[in-house]
Amino acid sequence: MSKPVICIGAAIIDDSFQCLDKPVAGTSNPAKHFRSAGGVARNIAHNLAQLGNNVELISHFGNDEDGKWLAGQCSSVGIGLTHSLFNNTSTGRFTAILFPSGDLNIGVSDTGLEDELTVSLLKEKASVLETASLILFDCNLNVDCISWLLSFCKSKHIPCVIEPVSVAKASRLSNLNLNNVLLITPNMDELTVLSGNIESLLNKGVQNIWMRKGKDGSEVFSRNGSVSLSAPNVNVADTTGAGDAALAGWIHAWLKNKKIGRAH
């Protein structure tokens, strides 16, 4: 079997409420409710597994009904959970309020991951992490875990990909050593708290920066230049997890030695 892609970060329940009309603050809004398996690292693992990759997920699952359902969703697509943490702490949850278009209006999350995944636990997984073809982690992890993973990947020469998750959580990277990170995927607001601008982030040693611009597409920056990628004109059902699916596609292509979106 091929060396695994190891994804580290959130696995949670996604509750999405798509408003029937433009949401109005301070009152109840009629909406349609959808429940799905979520969490940034889990979403990426899910898509990588569906593309036929060997994927291991290191995350947290509660022993509650939500956790059992979520773990079942992961196992059903072939995500390995041998190294994930299962305990009696409640499974994390993300709730999204969507515009009628499917775009996110506001989201709130309670992952609990910062307290559950620790540096001590990651150190226990070191022998497994060393087998990875690539390590992907999201910024739902606490700063100490992120710092340890960055150092580990650099010392073991393992390619590392980072998903910032949100503006608040992207700030956890601002004072860390990002030298030799293969790819990071901020939007403009996340970039601002990360380093302020593309040049500064490249100067920190990040090899590739995939700037997300929503409906305006995206742009990949490296020391070789930049490549603009347009977004297809489609009817959007729900943007939740779209960036995670795109990143899984990039990782899959990179594993196949197809340098998608890299300047030459």
Side-chain angles (χ1 to χ4, degrees):
M1 183 176 289
S2 60
K3 296 169 67 174
V5 178
I6 299 181
C7 299
I8 309 172
I12 59 178
I13 301 292
D14 273 355
D15 281 316
S16 297
F17 294 83
Q18 186 171 13
C19 294
L20 302 184
D21 296 300
K22 183 179 179 180
V24 179
T27 187
S28 177
N29 292 268
K32 294 179 180 179
H33 172 249
F34 307 92
R35 184 193 197 214
S36 59
V40 172
R42 193 221 67 87
N43 290 347
I44 295 167
H46 181 108
N47 286 283
L48 283 169
Q50 287 193 311
L51 289 168
N53 296 284
N54 178 16
V55 184
E56 289 288 333
L57 175 64
I58 298 179
S59 189
H60 165 260
F61 297 83
N63 289 326
D64 50 19
E65 289 304 312
D66 281 344
K68 293 174 183 177
W69 178 83
L70 187 59
Q73 294 295 302
C74 293
S75 298
S76 69
V77 295
I79 299 172
L81 300 178
T82 302
H83 305 288
S84 284
L85 174 66
F86 292 79
N87 63 20
N88 290 327
T89 303
S90 297
T91 301
R93 186 176 296 275
F94 170 76
T95 299
I97 307 300
L98 308 176
F99 289 103
S101 65
D103 291 320
L104 180 67
N105 177 26
I106 190 170
V108 293
S109 64
D110 178 14
T111 66
L113 196 69
E114 295 175 51
D115 297 326
E116 300 301 327
L117 292 192
T118 64
V119 172
S120 294
L121 185 142
L122 292 176
K123 287 181 177 178
E124 291 174 5
K125 309 294 183 183
S127 60
V128 175
L129 294 173
E130 288 179 1
T131 69
S133 58
L134 178 146
I135 291 177
L136 170 285
F137 65 83
D138 68 40
C139 288
N140 287 300
L141 300 171
N142 63 50
V143 174
D144 289 341
C145 285
I146 293 173
S147 179
W148 186 87
L149 283 167
L150 287 168
S151 178
F152 179 88
C153 288
K154 185 176 180 181
S155 66
K156 302 298 182 181
H157 306 289
I158 298 172
C160 169
V161 172
I162 306 173
E163 217 312 310
V165 177
S166 68
V167 172
K169 293 177 180 179
S171 66
R172 298 174 182 180
L173 298 169
S174 58
N175 296 317
L176 299 182
N177 184 353
L178 302 177
N179 189 37
N180 288 329
V181 168
L182 174 62
L183 175 71
I184 190 167
T185 59
N187 59 30
M188 183 59 71
D189 292 334
E190 292 164 352
L191 176 67
T192 299
V193 300
L194 270 169
S195 64
N197 57 66
I198 293 293
E199 188 65 24
S200 176
L201 200 51
L202 289 172
N203 287 338
K204 289 186 175 184
V206 178
Q207 296 175 38
N208 297 281
I209 303 161
W210 190 359
M211 172 66 67
R212 307 295 180 77
K213 300 178 181 180
K215 66 181 181 180
D216 295 323
S218 61
E219 193 167 1
V220 180
F221 298 86
S222 74
R223 280 296 176 195
N224 296 324
S226 64
V227 175
S228 295
L229 307 168
S230 61
N233 185 17
V234 297
N235 293 321
V236 176
D238 182 354
T239 61
T240 306
D244 302 336
L247 178 51
W250 191 98
I251 293 171
H252 177 73
W254 185 88
L255 292 168
K256 301 294 185 183
N257 295 314
K258 298 179 181 179
K259 309 304 182 186
I260 303 297
R262 295 184 65 177
H264 295 283

